[in-house]
């Protein structure tokens, strides 16, 4: 039986690379609405957009998507979701899935899977997803986040660097490099704790907020998917690609 969970979609208007990204039109609807509609196709009990923008809230109201106005001062999406957990007074063991607001093609099944992974790993506070890297150039690309797992499928470390580093190429056939995908599930009590944690040195060095959890001893369960979902929207070129998909 699938676990109960809700989806929260953090959406900030001030994107640096693609201005006003959440409101970008995709086939007649703002991108954040397209993301919410995908999330509604999952097994989630509810889907909530969390934003600091009255404009995004108005777009959600128009399309009858639940939306909460949150503080403009949050440094990370996780901090924004923690405020939502507080506003909704979620019980401690509620599962909350964080779907990025720029993933209009996210497979609903991937949302279900990250929730199921957390439900199956009672000792973990967080779950996320990784996929094997097939393009060798991604291993050294700092924009591709890598993760190394322990033998039970929990994260040891996330990095923009090449991890594990293969010192002896004769052993490289034993190594599968994993790309981390930015979808998470959390327990609500962890979200409350996270909001009180100081940023961690490795988090600040790598600019990866999940390292704050590892630094403080929280365990992260990782589901390894067979293949990556369609890419999200970071650039104007990405936006055009997604628009063509919706148009067809």
């Amino acid at each position: 039986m699938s676990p109960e969970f809700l989806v929260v979609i953090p959406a900030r208007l001030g994107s640096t690379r693609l201005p006003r990204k959440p409101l970008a039109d995709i086939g007649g609807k703002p991108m954040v609405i397209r993301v919410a509609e995908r999330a509604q196709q999952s097994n989630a009990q509810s889907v909530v957009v969390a934003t600091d923008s009255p404009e995004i809230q108005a777009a959600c109201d128009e399309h009858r998507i639940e939306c909460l106005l949150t503080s403009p001062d949050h440094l990370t999406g996780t901090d924004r979701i923690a405020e939502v957990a507080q506003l909704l007074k979620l019980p401690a063991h509620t599962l909350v899935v964080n779907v990025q607001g720029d993933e209009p093609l996210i497979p609903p099944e991937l949302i279900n899977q990250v929730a199921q992974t957390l439900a199956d790993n009672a000792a973990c506070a967080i779950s996320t997803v990784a996929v094997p890297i097939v393009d060798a150039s991604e291993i050294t690309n700092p924009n591709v986040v890598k993760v190394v797992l322990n033998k039970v499928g929990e994260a040891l470390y996330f990095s923009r660097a090449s991890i594990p580093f293969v010192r002896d190429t004769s052993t490289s056939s034993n190594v599968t490099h994993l790309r981390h995908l930015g979808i998470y599930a959390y327990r609500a009590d962890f979200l409350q704790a996270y909001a009180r944690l100081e940023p961690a040195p490795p988090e600040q060095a790598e600019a990866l907020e999940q390292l704050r959890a590892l630094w403080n001893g929280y365990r992260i369960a990782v589901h390894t998917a067979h293949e990556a979902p369609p890419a999200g929207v970071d650039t104007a070129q990405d936006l055009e690609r997604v628009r063509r998909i919706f148009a067809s």
Side-chain angles (χ1 to χ4, degrees):
M1 195 172 76
S2 62
E4 291 191 1
F5 65 94
L6 74 152
V7 168
V8 180
I9 302 166
R12 206 169 52 86
L13 207 50
S15 168
T16 48
R17 278 197 283 188
L18 192 59
R20 299 174 60 78
K21 181 162 71 167
L23 295 177
D25 182 88
I26 298 177
K29 292 181 182 178
M31 174 155 51
V32 68
I33 302 303
R34 293 294 189 188
V35 176
E37 288 175 344
R38 294 291 279 197
Q40 287 175 334
Q41 294 171 32
S42 74
N43 295 332
Q45 271 61 50
S46 61
V47 174
V48 181
V49 172
T51 187
D52 58 358
S53 162
E55 275 189 87
I56 291 175
Q57 187 178 41
C60 290
D61 290 347
E62 184 185 338
H63 291 88
R64 297 182 180 173
I65 299 292
E66 187 178 353
C67 182
L68 288 173
L69 206 55
T70 54
S71 166
D73 301 327
H74 293 306
L75 296 176
T76 70
T78 310
D79 291 310
R80 194 172 304 285
I81 292 171
E83 184 183 347
V84 169
Q86 207 167 11
L87 291 169
L88 295 177
K89 296 182 169 58
L90 297 179
H93 295 295
T94 307
L95 302 188
V96 181
V97 175
N98 171 358
V99 173
Q100 305 290 344
D102 56 7
E103 298 276 355
L105 298 172
I106 189 165
E109 191 46 52
L110 191 66
I111 298 172
N112 295 338
Q113 184 61 62
V114 76
Q116 187 69 57
T117 299
L118 188 53
D120 291 343
N121 289 273
C124 294
I126 308 173
S127 63
T128 189
V129 179
V131 292
I133 290 177
V134 291
D135 177 354
S137 69
E138 291 189 347
I139 295 170
T140 53
N141 182 345
N143 295 316
V144 175
V145 177
K146 276 70 70 174
V147 59
V148 173
L149 310 183
N150 66 13
K151 66 180 181 180
V152 295
E154 294 176 13
L156 289 171
Y157 191 66
F158 297 84
S159 182
R160 299 180 182 279
S162 170
I163 58 169
F165 177 78
V166 180
R167 183 180 176 191
D168 180 353
T169 53
S170 68
T171 64
S172 62
S173 59
N174 303 328
V175 174
T176 300
H177 287 90
L178 295 173
R179 175 180 187 151
H180 176 234
L181 304 182
I183 180 171
Y184 299 93
Y186 318 96
R187 299 185 199 280
D189 56 355
F190 163 78
L191 285 168
Q192 296 310 323
Y194 182 90
R196 296 189 295 270
L197 297 175
E198 293 291 320
E203 169 196 5
Q204 293 172 312
E206 298 254 19
L208 296 173
E209 62 187 276
Q210 64 271 36
L211 292 175
R212 190 184 313 181
L214 287 183
W215 172 262
N216 284 283
Y218 290 97
R219 292 160 65 178
I220 302 177
V222 182
H223 168 69
T224 302
H226 297 302
E227 58 181 356
V233 176
D234 282 325
T235 65
Q237 290 83 358
D238 293 336
L239 183 58
E240 287 309 315
R241 169 179 51 82
V242 170
R243 282 172 171 162
R244 285 195 297 271
I245 292 169
F246 273 89
S248 63

